[in-house]
Amino acid sequence: MDRKSLIDFYKDTNYTTKSLSIRGIPPRPSEWNVPLFLKKVYPDNVELFNNSLNNNRVEIELDQEDLEYFKALLLHESLFNFYKAFYNYLGALKLYDGGLQHWIEITAYYAKFYLANSVNILSGKSRYVVTGSNDNFVEDIYKLINNTGYQKNINKNGNFVASYAKYGIEIDIDPFLNEGKLMILSDLGSGGSHGYVWKKYSLLNTEEFGITEITYSYPQHLSEERNLENYSFEGYRQLDFNLEVDSFKNYFQREYIKDQSNLIYTSETAIILGVIGELFNLFEELQVIGLPIEKEKLLYMCQYTLNDSEQANKLSDLIYSGFPSNNKYIDEYHRYESN
Protein backbone atom coordinates (compact mmCIF):
# COMPACT_ATOMS: atom_id res chain seq x y z
CA MET A 1 0.00 0.00 0.00
CA ASP A 2 1.65 3.21 -1.14
CA ARG A 3 1.16 6.77 0.07
CA LYS A 4 -1.07 7.71 -2.84
CA SER A 5 -3.44 4.82 -2.15
CA LEU A 6 -3.72 5.86 1.48
CA ILE A 7 -4.41 9.48 0.55
CA ASP A 8 -6.97 8.46 -2.09
CA PHE A 9 -8.76 6.25 0.45
CA TYR A 10 -9.31 9.10 2.91
CA LYS A 11 -9.89 11.76 0.25
CA ASP A 12 -13.15 13.69 0.67
CA THR A 13 -13.86 12.15 4.08
CA ASN A 14 -15.73 14.64 6.23
CA TYR A 15 -14.38 14.08 9.71
CA THR A 16 -16.87 16.43 11.34
CA THR A 17 -20.10 14.98 9.99
CA LYS A 18 -19.16 11.39 9.24
CA SER A 19 -18.69 9.91 12.68
CA LEU A 20 -19.66 6.76 14.55
CA SER A 21 -20.36 8.87 17.61
CA ILE A 22 -23.91 8.21 18.76
CA ARG A 23 -24.14 11.91 19.52
CA GLY A 24 -23.59 12.65 15.84
CA ILE A 25 -20.45 14.74 16.32
CA PRO A 26 -16.77 13.80 16.40
CA PRO A 27 -16.22 11.56 19.43
CA ARG A 28 -14.30 12.39 22.56
CA PRO A 29 -11.24 10.25 23.31
CA SER A 30 -13.11 8.54 26.15
CA GLU A 31 -15.81 7.17 23.84
CA TRP A 32 -15.48 3.63 22.54
CA ASN A 33 -17.42 4.17 19.39
CA VAL A 34 -17.40 0.71 17.83
CA PRO A 35 -18.55 -1.20 20.95
CA LEU A 36 -21.09 1.55 21.58
CA PHE A 37 -22.23 1.42 17.97
CA LEU A 38 -22.61 -2.38 18.02
CA LYS A 39 -24.64 -2.25 21.20
CA LYS A 40 -26.97 0.23 19.55
CA VAL A 41 -27.44 -1.61 16.23
CA TYR A 42 -27.46 -5.22 17.45
CA PRO A 43 -31.16 -5.41 18.50
CA ASP A 44 -32.28 -4.43 15.00
CA ASN A 45 -29.77 -6.67 13.22
CA VAL A 46 -29.83 -9.95 15.13
CA GLU A 47 -30.39 -11.98 11.95
CA LEU A 48 -27.37 -10.36 10.25
CA PHE A 49 -25.15 -11.25 13.21
CA ASN A 50 -26.45 -14.81 13.34
CA ASN A 51 -25.99 -15.32 9.60
CA SER A 52 -22.46 -13.89 9.76
CA LEU A 53 -21.30 -16.43 12.34
CA ASN A 54 -18.55 -18.79 11.20
CA ASN A 55 -16.32 -20.89 13.47
CA ASN A 56 -17.28 -18.94 16.60
CA ARG A 57 -16.63 -15.56 15.05
CA VAL A 58 -18.83 -13.01 13.36
CA GLU A 59 -17.51 -11.49 10.13
CA ILE A 60 -19.51 -8.67 8.55
CA GLU A 61 -18.43 -7.25 5.21
CA LEU A 62 -18.51 -3.45 5.17
CA ASP A 63 -20.30 -1.75 2.31
CA GLN A 64 -19.29 1.65 0.95
CA GLU A 65 -21.62 3.52 3.28
CA ASP A 66 -20.09 1.67 6.24
CA LEU A 67 -16.60 2.52 5.01
CA GLU A 68 -17.37 6.24 5.01
CA TYR A 69 -18.18 6.05 8.70
CA PHE A 70 -15.18 3.88 9.48
CA LYS A 71 -12.80 6.22 7.68
CA ALA A 72 -13.77 8.97 10.12
CA LEU A 73 -13.45 6.55 13.02
CA LEU A 74 -9.98 5.38 11.95
CA LEU A 75 -8.83 8.98 11.60
CA HIS A 76 -10.16 9.79 15.07
CA GLU A 77 -8.39 6.86 16.70
CA SER A 78 -5.17 7.34 14.75
CA LEU A 79 -5.06 11.00 15.78
CA PHE A 80 -5.74 10.09 19.40
CA ASN A 81 -2.70 7.81 19.39
CA PHE A 82 -0.65 10.46 17.57
CA TYR A 83 -1.37 13.08 20.24
CA LYS A 84 -0.67 10.52 22.98
CA ALA A 85 2.70 9.82 21.36
CA PHE A 86 3.55 13.53 21.28
CA TYR A 87 2.46 13.87 24.91
CA ASN A 88 4.77 11.02 25.96
CA TYR A 89 7.58 12.44 23.84
CA LEU A 90 7.26 15.70 25.78
CA GLY A 91 7.29 13.71 29.02
CA ALA A 92 10.53 12.02 28.03
CA LEU A 93 12.18 15.36 27.20
CA LYS A 94 11.09 16.76 30.56
CA LEU A 95 12.92 13.95 32.36
CA TYR A 96 16.36 14.73 30.92
CA ASP A 97 16.98 17.53 33.39
CA GLY A 98 16.76 15.03 36.24
CA GLY A 99 18.96 12.42 34.55
CA LEU A 100 16.14 9.92 35.05
CA GLN A 101 17.29 7.28 32.61
CA HIS A 102 14.76 4.60 33.53
CA TRP A 103 11.71 6.79 33.11
CA ILE A 104 13.06 8.33 29.91
CA GLU A 105 13.33 4.83 28.42
CA ILE A 106 9.88 3.77 29.61
CA THR A 107 8.21 7.01 28.50
CA ALA A 108 9.97 6.83 25.15
CA TYR A 109 8.70 3.26 24.77
CA TYR A 110 5.12 4.41 25.17
CA ALA A 111 5.64 7.19 22.64
CA LYS A 112 6.83 4.53 20.16
CA PHE A 113 3.94 2.24 21.06
CA TYR A 114 1.34 4.95 20.41
CA LEU A 115 3.05 5.93 17.16
CA ALA A 116 2.94 2.30 16.01
CA ASN A 117 -0.73 2.09 16.89
CA SER A 118 -1.45 5.37 15.11
CA VAL A 119 0.14 3.99 11.94
CA ASN A 120 -1.69 0.64 12.31
CA ILE A 121 -5.06 2.33 12.63
CA LEU A 122 -4.45 4.74 9.78
CA SER A 123 -3.70 1.73 7.60
CA GLY A 124 -7.03 0.13 8.56
CA LYS A 125 -6.37 -2.08 11.58
CA SER A 126 -7.97 -1.60 14.99
CA ARG A 127 -9.12 -3.78 17.89
CA TYR A 128 -11.26 -3.43 21.01
CA VAL A 129 -11.58 -5.80 23.95
CA VAL A 130 -15.01 -5.59 25.56
CA THR A 131 -15.24 -7.07 29.05
CA GLY A 132 -18.36 -8.07 30.94
CA SER A 133 -17.96 -5.10 33.25
CA ASN A 134 -18.06 -2.62 30.36
CA ASP A 135 -21.28 -0.71 29.73
CA ASN A 136 -21.08 -1.62 26.03
CA PHE A 137 -20.90 -5.37 26.64
CA VAL A 138 -23.70 -7.26 24.85
CA GLU A 139 -24.55 -10.55 26.52
CA ASP A 140 -26.21 -12.03 23.43
CA ILE A 141 -23.16 -11.29 21.27
CA TYR A 142 -20.92 -13.07 23.78
CA LYS A 143 -23.30 -16.04 23.83
CA LEU A 144 -23.34 -16.15 20.03
CA ILE A 145 -19.57 -16.42 19.57
CA ASN A 146 -18.69 -18.32 22.76
CA ASN A 147 -21.59 -20.46 23.89
CA THR A 148 -19.27 -22.75 25.86
CA GLY A 149 -17.84 -19.83 27.79
CA TYR A 150 -21.32 -18.44 28.25
CA GLN A 151 -22.57 -21.66 29.84
CA LYS A 152 -19.59 -21.75 32.20
CA ASN A 153 -20.59 -18.30 33.43
CA ILE A 154 -24.08 -19.40 34.48
CA ASN A 155 -24.28 -19.53 38.28
CA LYS A 156 -26.24 -22.03 40.36
CA ASN A 157 -29.26 -19.73 40.30
CA GLY A 158 -29.29 -19.83 36.51
CA ASN A 159 -28.10 -16.25 36.07
CA PHE A 160 -25.34 -15.18 33.72
CA VAL A 161 -22.33 -13.67 35.54
CA ALA A 162 -20.37 -11.44 33.20
CA SER A 163 -17.35 -10.84 35.47
CA TYR A 164 -14.95 -13.03 33.47
CA ALA A 165 -16.60 -12.73 30.07
CA LYS A 166 -15.03 -10.80 27.22
CA TYR A 167 -14.87 -10.67 23.46
CA GLY A 168 -12.87 -8.81 20.85
CA ILE A 169 -13.96 -6.55 18.03
CA GLU A 170 -11.57 -6.05 15.14
CA ILE A 171 -11.68 -3.74 12.15
CA ASP A 172 -9.74 -4.95 9.14
CA ILE A 173 -9.84 -2.53 6.21
CA ASP A 174 -7.68 -2.53 3.09
CA PRO A 175 -7.38 1.10 1.89
CA PHE A 176 -5.75 -0.05 -1.36
CA LEU A 177 -8.76 -2.22 -2.30
CA ASN A 178 -11.28 0.07 -0.57
CA GLU A 179 -12.91 -2.83 1.24
CA GLY A 180 -13.01 -4.26 4.73
CA LYS A 181 -14.80 -6.20 7.39
CA LEU A 182 -15.77 -6.03 11.03
CA MET A 183 -15.13 -9.11 13.15
CA ILE A 184 -16.30 -10.18 16.60
CA LEU A 185 -14.25 -13.01 18.08
CA SER A 186 -13.73 -14.91 21.30
CA ASP A 187 -10.08 -15.88 20.66
CA LEU A 188 -8.03 -12.75 21.33
CA GLY A 189 -4.66 -14.45 20.82
CA SER A 190 -1.65 -14.00 23.07
CA GLY A 191 0.44 -10.99 24.00
CA GLY A 192 -2.32 -8.65 25.10
CA SER A 193 -2.89 -5.22 23.62
CA HIS A 194 0.83 -4.47 23.19
CA GLY A 195 1.46 -7.79 21.46
CA TYR A 196 -1.42 -7.12 19.07
CA VAL A 197 -0.14 -3.66 18.17
CA TRP A 198 3.43 -4.78 17.52
CA LYS A 199 2.31 -7.83 15.55
CA LYS A 200 0.16 -5.70 13.25
CA TYR A 201 2.93 -3.11 12.95
CA SER A 202 5.47 -5.78 11.96
CA LEU A 203 3.28 -6.72 8.99
CA LEU A 204 3.37 -3.19 7.56
CA ASN A 205 5.92 -1.70 5.23
CA THR A 206 5.57 1.81 6.60
CA GLU A 207 8.17 3.24 4.26
CA GLU A 208 5.78 2.61 1.35
CA PHE A 209 3.69 5.50 2.59
CA GLY A 210 6.56 7.66 3.77
CA ILE A 211 6.85 6.77 7.46
CA THR A 212 10.21 5.67 8.87
CA GLU A 213 10.24 2.35 10.74
CA ILE A 214 10.32 2.86 14.49
CA THR A 215 12.79 0.02 14.87
CA TYR A 216 14.87 -2.02 12.46
CA SER A 217 14.74 -5.07 14.72
CA TYR A 218 11.55 -7.07 15.19
CA PRO A 219 9.16 -4.57 16.84
CA GLN A 220 8.15 -6.84 19.73
CA HIS A 221 11.66 -6.42 21.17
CA LEU A 222 10.68 -2.91 22.29
CA SER A 223 7.97 -4.38 24.51
CA GLU A 224 10.35 -7.04 25.78
CA GLU A 225 12.93 -4.37 26.65
CA ARG A 226 10.21 -2.37 28.42
CA ASN A 227 9.30 -5.44 30.51
CA LEU A 228 12.96 -6.16 31.28
CA GLU A 229 13.54 -2.56 32.36
CA ASN A 230 10.38 -2.28 34.40
CA TYR A 231 9.87 -5.68 36.01
CA SER A 232 13.25 -7.37 36.47
CA PHE A 233 16.37 -6.85 38.56
CA GLU A 234 18.02 -5.51 35.43
CA GLY A 235 15.76 -2.47 35.54
CA TYR A 236 16.12 0.75 37.54
CA ARG A 237 19.86 0.61 36.97
CA GLN A 238 20.50 3.75 39.00
CA LEU A 239 19.34 2.16 42.24
CA ASP A 240 22.24 0.02 43.43
CA PHE A 241 21.42 0.65 47.09
CA ASN A 242 23.99 -1.85 48.37
CA LEU A 243 26.82 0.53 47.47
CA GLU A 244 28.43 2.67 50.14
CA VAL A 245 26.94 6.15 50.27
CA ASP A 246 29.77 7.92 48.43
CA SER A 247 29.91 5.21 45.77
CA PHE A 248 26.12 5.31 45.44
CA LYS A 249 26.19 9.06 44.83
CA ASN A 250 28.66 8.62 41.97
CA TYR A 251 26.81 5.62 40.53
CA PHE A 252 23.41 7.32 40.61
CA GLN A 253 24.63 10.17 38.43
CA ARG A 254 23.74 10.05 34.75
CA GLU A 255 25.51 13.13 33.45
CA TYR A 256 25.38 11.91 29.86
CA ILE A 257 21.60 12.04 30.20
CA LYS A 258 21.62 15.54 31.65
CA ASP A 259 23.97 16.66 28.88
CA GLN A 260 21.12 16.10 26.40
CA SER A 261 18.62 18.23 28.32
CA ASN A 262 18.81 21.03 25.75
CA LEU A 263 18.32 18.75 22.72
CA ILE A 264 15.00 17.83 21.12
CA TYR A 265 16.45 14.90 19.17
CA THR A 266 18.15 12.69 21.75
CA SER A 267 19.51 9.16 21.91
CA GLU A 268 16.07 7.91 23.04
CA THR A 269 13.75 10.30 21.24
CA ALA A 270 15.31 11.03 17.83
CA ILE A 271 13.30 8.37 15.98
CA ILE A 272 10.15 9.40 17.86
CA LEU A 273 10.34 13.05 16.84
CA GLY A 274 11.20 12.06 13.28
CA VAL A 275 8.10 9.86 12.95
CA ILE A 276 5.91 12.45 14.69
CA GLY A 277 6.91 14.96 12.01
CA GLU A 278 6.30 12.48 9.19
CA LEU A 279 2.87 11.53 10.52
CA PHE A 280 1.90 15.17 11.04
CA ASN A 281 2.69 15.96 7.42
CA LEU A 282 0.87 12.84 6.22
CA PHE A 283 -2.26 13.85 8.15
CA GLU A 284 -2.08 17.30 6.56
CA GLU A 285 -1.61 15.80 3.09
CA LEU A 286 -4.82 13.80 3.49
CA GLN A 287 -6.71 17.13 3.28
CA VAL A 288 -9.63 15.70 5.22
CA ILE A 289 -12.38 18.21 5.98
CA GLY A 290 -12.41 19.18 9.65
CA LEU A 291 -9.47 16.96 10.66
CA PRO A 292 -8.12 18.33 13.98
CA ILE A 293 -4.41 18.17 13.18
CA GLU A 294 -3.16 21.63 14.14
CA LYS A 295 0.23 23.08 14.88
CA GLU A 296 -1.34 25.33 17.51
CA LYS A 297 -2.26 22.37 19.73
CA LEU A 298 1.22 20.90 19.52
CA LEU A 299 2.74 24.31 20.24
CA TYR A 300 0.54 24.78 23.27
CA MET A 301 1.42 21.33 24.63
CA CYS A 302 5.10 22.04 24.03
CA GLN A 303 5.16 25.45 25.69
CA TYR A 304 2.96 24.44 28.61
CA THR A 305 4.98 21.29 29.36
CA LEU A 306 8.53 22.52 28.73
CA ASN A 307 7.93 26.13 29.84
CA ASP A 308 10.40 28.78 28.70
CA SER A 309 13.26 26.38 28.05
CA GLU A 310 15.75 25.89 25.26
CA GLN A 311 13.99 22.64 24.40
CA ALA A 312 10.64 24.44 24.13
CA ASN A 313 12.08 27.13 21.87
CA LYS A 314 13.72 24.60 19.56
CA LEU A 315 10.68 22.36 19.37
CA SER A 316 8.36 25.32 18.77
CA ASP A 317 10.57 26.45 15.91
CA LEU A 318 10.49 22.96 14.41
CA ILE A 319 6.69 22.79 14.67
CA TYR A 320 6.27 26.27 13.17
CA SER A 321 8.45 25.26 10.23
CA GLY A 322 6.32 22.15 9.57
CA PHE A 323 8.71 19.40 10.71
CA PRO A 324 11.15 19.48 7.76
CA SER A 325 12.97 16.16 7.46
CA ASN A 326 16.33 17.93 7.32
CA ASN A 327 16.80 20.61 9.94
CA LYS A 328 19.46 22.17 12.17
CA TYR A 329 18.25 20.34 15.27
CA ILE A 330 18.97 16.95 13.70
CA ASP A 331 22.41 18.27 12.78
CA GLU A 332 22.87 19.40 16.39
CA TYR A 333 22.02 15.90 17.60
CA HIS A 334 24.45 14.29 15.15
CA ARG A 335 27.21 16.62 16.36
CA TYR A 336 26.47 15.60 19.94
CA GLU A 337 26.56 11.89 19.05
CA SER A 338 29.85 12.22 17.20
CA ASN A 339 31.64 13.81 20.20
Side-chain angles (χ1 to χ4, degrees), residues 6 23-24 41 84 125 210 217-218 266 324:
L6 197 66
R23 295 184 292 114
V41 303
K84 287 169 79 173
K125 307 293 184 288
S217 184
Y218 69 106
T266 71

Side-chain angles (χ1 to χ4, degrees), residues 120-143:
N120 285 346
I121 295 168
L122 193 64
S123 64
K125 307 293 184 288
S126 188
R127 183 176 79 161
Y128 316 79
V129 177
V130 186
T131 64
S133 60
N134 189 276
D135 290 340
N136 298 319
F137 181 85
V138 180
E139 182 179 332
D140 286 344
I141 289 179
Y142 177 69
K143 184 178 181 180

